[in-house]
């Protein structure tokens, strides 16, 4: 037998199967999916056995044997091997790039090992005669631990020296053994679970999903207003799968959202849930992965990468908040976790559920066309109404002389909320509304020297910072361009809101949840817990607070600037504005108390803002879809782009130009499908010192997308060889900025 191996080197040149012979003593152990150590050129490298074959074309004296196996069991199962091949063809990544996604990185480098705990217990057959008094006492202590204790803890709590324990082990009175311990993330979160009686709408959804899971699978779009009990539906269909000895994957958009979901899942499923996400320590991630691979846990809960969980026999895969951007990997290898989930659902004949209060326009359109079965939850589950929304026109506030970030209405509502002892969330979209510095005389804007974007002002550090590359510089008080002293700090960040709240409400206890306060591991979990425990009355935050958080005491949500995203030069700007404002507004009044939402905006008449304040998806969708159709935008068309970046501007421009000539020629045959084909400098011309040029294709959705994508991938690959130019291809990018 021979093994066909992919070596663990990410390079196009070696992305193929290499054959090795299997030494007789390994013949039992080497199976597809096993990691092996193999000679490669002059050295030995790690690799993955992709398949076994009986024949080889290599002469017997030239074929090299596998050096050794790296694990006791195949770390990649048959499904994942096939998935790696699918991803290789779909996303044009190296096979090994997708295989790497399927393993904890630390495992490949051999940096983590299972953590061992040493237990001591009484040997039932031992003869205690001949023990001295102190030794008998130690033995009697063990009774307090039901006969078995963790050694270090026992020694510490009972003040026993490890040497004495060793003596007793040598005498055969105690037995010492090392067992594997699983490091468990989120220890701070646990409690009692409760199960609810599903509403009629929930019942219908649950029954249809379960029927599909039992009968060969199907794809669902679950559209349910915020608080309608989608999470209860998820947990119920997962229970159903588990009862049938199947497994489940539950994807959530982001780490910061995970703690609350984890808490609910832990209560319901206990240790049957493994949590996978990048915020875990290396050891924790390895342990969670292993629990799933070895069948000790049957539910994987996590962000994007959890879609690669090593589970077998999947019954249901769920993607919560399916409209979120975070399901796309924007770095190599680029993949869409929703597409991967779709592939796995089909492979396992499982049910796939995409859930959201504000489905992506594309998915909703596809559901209308019958591509997904639509399930709807139209009412809040606990019978409390949707919150009252008040829209404030900030232009009028300005005219009335109010220059603060708080409108009169928001100030009054906040005061009322605090007086009543309730909690409030203030939401600000950081991107597109950060502080920038501008000269009011000549309108010079302080920009990053490396990137083509404005510098942001950080109040806490009193510095200017670039959010793209981290470059910092001191603040300015006179214009570097014209010398005028009329420098103004425009816009506002979460820090600025915090400062204003402190000025208006000096007594209030405030928490801030943004990029700066959540950079450390567990930070968002702690902020969430503190707020949930009532340690603060006001939570100020960015996108992070907009998502699934469910706090019963929150009666006020303030959207500081609803239109901050609206004017970005992007076809999806209105969709993102609608989603964000609707999601944030949905945080208010989750319990019996009446919720209030104050939406501050400079565009009170914009359809996305209006529909969001009515919490009316259909109203938004109808208008948006007709605009998309009129403008030939997705879902009616597909954007594709090849991006060239280089520190050397003319190198990037030249590579882009020559690739464009090739693309034009190769797309000759697809003229009917192509609406737009251009090459130009990117909207942000420079990031981190790299100049950016791009080729943009807009094509009809007429079934030719894959062929056109293939052509672009080929051209990009052919131009990837140009020195010092980075080339990347994006099919259906989320944004064209
Ligand atoms: P969503 O995920 O749609 O935002 P959740 O599942 O978080 O909604 O439910 C919102 C609140 O309603 C939660 O506190 C949840 O426990 C409660 N809830 C959900 N379903 C029911 C039900 N059938 N009966 C009573 N309460 C429910
Ligand atoms: Zn100036
Ligand atoms: Zn920069």
């Amino acid at each position: 037998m021979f093994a066909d191996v992919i070596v663990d080197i990410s390079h196009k040149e070696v992305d193929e199967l290499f054959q090795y012979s299997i030494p007789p003593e390994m013949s039992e152990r080497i199976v597809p999916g096993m990691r092996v150590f193999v000679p490669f050129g002059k050295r030995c490298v790690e690799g993955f056995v992709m398949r076994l074959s009986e024949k080889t074309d290599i002469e017997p004296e030239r074929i090299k044997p596998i050096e050794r196996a790296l694990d006791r069991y195949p770390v990649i199962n048959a499904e994942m091997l096939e998935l790696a091949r699918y991803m290789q063809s779909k996303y044009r990544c190296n096979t090994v790039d997708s295989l790497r996604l399927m393993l904890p990185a630390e495992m490949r480098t051999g940096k983590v090992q299972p953590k061992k705990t040493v237990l001591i217990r009484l040997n039932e057959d031992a003869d205690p005669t001949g023990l001295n008094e102190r030794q008998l006492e130690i033995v009697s202590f063990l009774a307090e631990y039901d006969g078995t204790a963790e050694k270090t803890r026992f020694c510490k709590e009972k003040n026993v020296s490890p040497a004495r324990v060793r003596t007793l082990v040598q005498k055969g009175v105690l037995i010492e053994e090392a067992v594997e311990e699983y490091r468990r993330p989120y220890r701070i979160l646990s409690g009692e679970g409760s199960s609810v009686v599903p509403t009629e709408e929930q019942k219908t959804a649950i029954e249809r999903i379960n029927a599909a899971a039992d009968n060969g699978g199907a794809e669902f779009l679950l559209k349910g207003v915020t608080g309608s009990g989608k999470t209860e539906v998820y947990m119920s269909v997962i229970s159903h799968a588990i009862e049938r000895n199947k497994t489940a994957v539950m994807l959530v958009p982001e780490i910061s959202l995970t703690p609350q979901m984890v808490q609910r899942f832990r209560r319901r499923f206990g240790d049957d849930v493994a949590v996978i996400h990048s915020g875990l320590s290396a050891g924790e991630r390895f342990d969670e992965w292993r629990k799933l691979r070895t069948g000790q846990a049957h539910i994987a809960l996590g962000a994007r990468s959890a879609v690669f969980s090593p589970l077998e026999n999947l019954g249901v895969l769920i993607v919560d908040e399916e409209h979120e951007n975070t399901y796309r990997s924007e770095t190599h290898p680029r993949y869409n976790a929703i597409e991967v989930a779709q592939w796995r659902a089909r492979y396992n004949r499982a049910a796939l559920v995409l859930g959201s209060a504000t489905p992506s326009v594309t998915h909703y359109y596809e559901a209308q066309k019958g591509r997904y079965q639509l399930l709807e939850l139209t009412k809040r589950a606990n019978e409390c109404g949707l919150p009252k929304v008040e829209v404030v026109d900030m232009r009028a506030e300005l005219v009335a002389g109010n220059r603060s970030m708080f409108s009169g209405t928001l100030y009054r509502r906040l005061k009322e909320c605090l007086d009543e002892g309730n909690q409030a969330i203030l939401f600000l979209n950081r991107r597109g509304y950060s502080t920038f510095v501008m000269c009011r005389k000549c309108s010079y804007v302080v920009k990053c020297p490396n990137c083509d974007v404005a510098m942001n002002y950080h109040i806490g550090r009193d510095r200017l910072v670039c959010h793209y590359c981290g470059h910092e510089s001191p603040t300015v008080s006179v214009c570097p361009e014209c010398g005028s002293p009329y420098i103004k700090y425009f816009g506002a960040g979460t820090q600025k809101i915090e400062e204003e709240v402190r000025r208006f409400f000096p007594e209030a206890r405030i928490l801030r949840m943004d990029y700066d306060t959540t950079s450390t591991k567990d930070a968002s979990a702690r902020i969430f817990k503190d707020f949930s425990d009532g340690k603060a009355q006001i939570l100020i935050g960015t996108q992070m607070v907009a998502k699934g958080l469910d706090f019963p005491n929150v009666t006020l949500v303030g959207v500081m600037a609803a239109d901050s995203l609206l004017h970005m030069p992007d076809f999806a700007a209105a969709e993102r504005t609608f989603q964000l404002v609707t999601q944030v507004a949905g945080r208010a009044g989750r319990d019996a108390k009446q919720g209030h939402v104050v939406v501050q905006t400079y565009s009170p008449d914009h359809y996305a803002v209006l529909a969001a304040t009515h919490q009316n998806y259909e109203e938004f969708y109808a208008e948006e879809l007709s605009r998309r159709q009129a403008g030939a935008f997705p879902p009616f068309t597909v954007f594709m782009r090849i991006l060239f970046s280089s520190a050397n501007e003319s190198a990037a421009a030249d590579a882009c130009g020559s690739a464009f000539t090739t693309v034009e020629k190769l797309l000759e045959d697809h003229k009917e499908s192509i609406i737009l084909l251009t090459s130009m400098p990117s909207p942000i011309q420079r990031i981190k010192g790299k100049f950016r040029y791009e080729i943009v294709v807009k094509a009809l959705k007429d079934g030719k997308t894959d062929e056109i994508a293939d052509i672009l991938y080929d051209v990009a690959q052919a131009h990837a060889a140009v020195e010092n130019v980075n080339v990347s291809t994006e099919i259906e990018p989320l944004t064209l900025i």
Side-chain angles (χ1 to χ4, degrees), residues 196-199 202 225 227-232 264 381-382 550 590:
V196 297
V197 182
T199 61
Q202 283 173 320
V225 295
S228 60
K230 293 184 291 299
T231 307
E232 292 295 333
R264 288 173 78 176
N382 48 9
D550 182 10
R590 303 271 290 189

Side-chain angles (χ1 to χ4, degrees), residues 99-155:
L99 291 171
R100 285 176 179 179
L101 290 171
M102 297 166 184
L103 290 180
E106 300 75 13
M107 189 170 180
R108 285 178 36 240
T109 50
K111 284 205 192 92
V112 288
Q113 294 299 329
K115 187 172 164 186
K116 292 272 164 82
T117 311
V118 179
L119 298 182
I120 46 171
R121 64 185 159 88
L122 198 61
N123 181 357
E124 308 275 334
D125 307 326
D127 177 12
T129 53
L131 295 184
N132 65 32
E133 211 164 296
R134 176 64 178 155
Q135 288 170 330
L136 283 170
E137 191 187 24
I138 293 172
V139 170
S140 74
F141 285 157
L142 259 181
E144 293 173 37
Y145 295 83
D146 286 333
T148 305
E150 201 210 310
K151 188 169 140 189
T152 32
R153 193 175 139 210
F154 178 81
C155 291

Side-chain angles (χ1 to χ4, degrees), residues 154-185:
F154 178 81
C155 291
K156 197 159 145 243
E157 288 177 0
K158 290 292 160 197
N159 208 6
V160 173
S161 80
R164 284 188 192 274
V165 172
R166 205 178 314 129
T167 311
L168 286 168
V169 171
Q170 279 157 4
K171 282 181 179 290
V173 176
L174 296 184
I175 296 172
E176 189 178 283
E177 64 183 340
V179 295
E180 273 186 32
E181 186 200 349
Y182 291 106
R183 283 150 283 220
R184 204 162 127 203

Side-chain angles (χ1 to χ4, degrees), residues 576-711:
R576 244 166 266 158
T577 300
F578 172 77
Q579 284 164 347
L580 264 180
V581 177
T582 311
Q583 297 277 342
V584 195
R587 299 302 120 222
R590 303 271 290 189
D591 209 1
K593 297 171 187 167
Q594 175 62 49
H596 287 277
V597 178
V598 177
V599 176
Q600 303 190 148
T601 173
Y602 290 91
S603 327
D605 303 323
H606 191 283
Y607 68 95
V609 175
L610 279 174
T613 59
H614 305 153
Q615 304 253 312
N616 190 332
Y617 182 85
E618 273 70 25
E619 178 187 332
F620 165 75
Y621 176 77
E623 177 68 28
E624 180 71 6
L625 199 73
S626 68
R627 286 170 184 248
R628 297 273 185 102
Q629 186 153 30
F633 284 116
F636 302 97
T637 55
V638 195
F639 277 104
M640 297 179 231
R641 141 165 107 166
I642 313 180
L643 191 66
F644 301 83
S645 63
S646 173
N648 177 339
E649 180 164 16
S650 57
D654 290 350
C656 183
S658 93
F660 185 66
T661 315
T662 320
V663 169
E664 270 188 316
K665 222 175 288 154
L666 291 175
L667 288 184
E668 227 11 68
D669 294 343
H670 290 289
K671 268 214 170 97
E672 307 82 64
S673 307
I674 298 197
I675 301 172
L676 174 85
L677 171 59
T678 68
S679 99
M680 58 192 172
S682 299
I684 298 179
Q685 282 193 42
R686 201 158 55 116
I687 293 181
K688 294 183 191 173
K690 297 249 168 81
F691 293 89
R692 294 148 43 93
Y693 281 78
E694 63 188 29
I695 295 172
V696 175
V697 179
K698 182 156 98 171
L700 286 173
K701 260 204 164 144
D702 59 0
K704 296 277 167 56
T705 308
D706 289 346
E707 285 172 42
I708 297 171
D710 268 344
I711 290 173

